[in-house]
Amino acid sequence: EDQVTQSPEALRLQEGESSSLNCSYTVSGLRGLFWYRQDPGKGPEFLFTLYSAGEEKEKERLKATLTKKESFLHITAPKPEDSATYLCAVFVSGGYNKLIFGAGTRLAVHP
Amino acid sequence: DAGVIQSPRHEVTEMGQEVTLRCKPISGHDYLFWYRQTMMRGLELLIYFNNNVPIDDSGMPEDRFSAKMPNASFSTLKIQPSEPRDSAVYFCASRGSTGGNEQYFGPGTRLTVT
């Protein structure tokens, strides 16, 4: 069964304290991995798509990387406005356009 | 673009009542998805449409749930009769056939069934 596991469940950082979020997956055939950001009371906001091992994408303080078993979302020198829940999702072959979401990591960045 | 539009944003209803949630996808997108989000189960796909045709409704929890897409710019998710366990945030998302496979989500409808 295709599975996506995110860790940690929650992370508290001080402003400027860099860290990484993990998304590990066991799927039959990965066709893409997506990162989303979700603020309270809002819908998930698309951040990145990664398609193959070794690929990296960057946006401001965020960098997403992908290996054959997991993806990392690195947050460099975070600011309080980076506080949100970060969701990862996989798109699998034979999945008929379905995204399988992880449970998310709740990030809190304190000044 | 205005993004995916959902209405209402909040709905409070009594058990047994019919609830209708509405969604307008991003113009030009030909895939539309309905999700439900709860603390216990996270984001779950309920049903998705391609070119207004339902493709996979295996995530619809019960026959009380139904969804329609009468045209490319409008979809509804109906619950009849509603039950307290249907309380959740319901999201609509859309994507196009060209470019990446990323889905774009609406702001959601928070449903409370008392």
Side-chain angles (χ1 to χ4, degrees):
Chain A
E1 183 183 349
D2 297 324
Q3 243 182 347
V4 179
T5 304
Q6 291 190 246
S7 62
E9 287 187 16
L11 181 63
R12 178 189 170 118
L13 299 173
Q14 289 298 120
E15 185 171 2
E17 180 187 1
S18 301
S19 188
S20 297
L21 313 182
N22 178 264
C23 171
S24 63
Y25 57 90
T26 51
V27 298
S28 51
L30 183 72
R31 291 179 59 191
L33 185 142
F34 302 82
W35 282 98
Y36 284 83
R37 168 191 172 128
Q38 186 173 22
D39 292 296
K42 296 189 177 181
E45 174 190 348
F46 171 70
L47 293 173
F48 304 109
T49 310
L50 301 165
Y51 288 106
S52 56
E55 189 174 358
E56 297 183 353
K57 294 274 180 73
E58 283 190 68
K59 180 180 180 179
E60 295 180 356
R61 295 176 293 282
L62 301 177
K63 183 168 81 171
T65 61
L66 181 65
T67 72
K68 290 186 177 179
K69 294 183 178 180
E70 59 192 348
S71 176
F72 291 94
L73 185 65
H74 306 278
I75 304 176
T76 302
K79 298 182 177 182
E81 52 262 42
D82 294 323
S83 298
T85 296
Y86 290 86
L87 298 165
C88 103
V90 296
F91 185 49
V92 300
S93 56
Y96 303 102
N97 294 297
K98 294 181 182 180
L99 286 182
I100 303 170
F101 279 86
T105 293
R106 294 189 313 278
L107 174 66
V109 181
H110 296 268
Chain B
D1 201 314
V4 176
I5 298 172
Q6 291 187 248
S7 65
R9 294 296 314 279
H10 302 272
E11 177 81 42
V12 180
T13 191
E14 291 184 350
M15 183 174 63
Q17 296 298 305
E18 177 180 295
V19 175
T20 300
L21 312 181
R22 297 172 176 80
C23 174
K24 176 180 169 55
I26 292 172
S27 177
H29 281 185
D30 48 6
Y31 285 89
L32 184 139
F33 305 81
W34 282 102
Y35 288 88
R36 178 171 67 177
Q37 186 175 44
T38 61
M39 289 294 292
M40 290 296 295
R41 300 175 67 91
L43 261 174
E44 301 175 281
L45 178 67
L46 300 177
I47 185 171
Y48 81 90
F49 295 82
N50 179 219
N51 292 321
N52 313 335
V53 176
I55 303 300
D56 186 343
D57 65 355
S58 60
M60 297 285 260
E62 299 172 37
D63 291 344
R64 298 184 295 106
F65 286 70
S66 62
K68 294 182 179 179
M69 192 164 186
N71 57 62
S73 58
F74 183 66
S75 177
T76 59
L77 178 68
K78 187 176 293 187
I79 307 172
Q80 165 64 16
S82 58
E83 296 183 3
R85 59 191 167 127
D86 301 331
S87 297
V89 182
Y90 291 81
F91 289 103
C92 174
S94 70
R95 77 165 177 90
S97 293
T98 58
N101 295 308
E102 62 270 15
Q103 298 175 15
Y104 295 88
F105 284 76
T109 296
R110 180 172 294 278
L111 173 65
T112 303
V113 183
T114 61

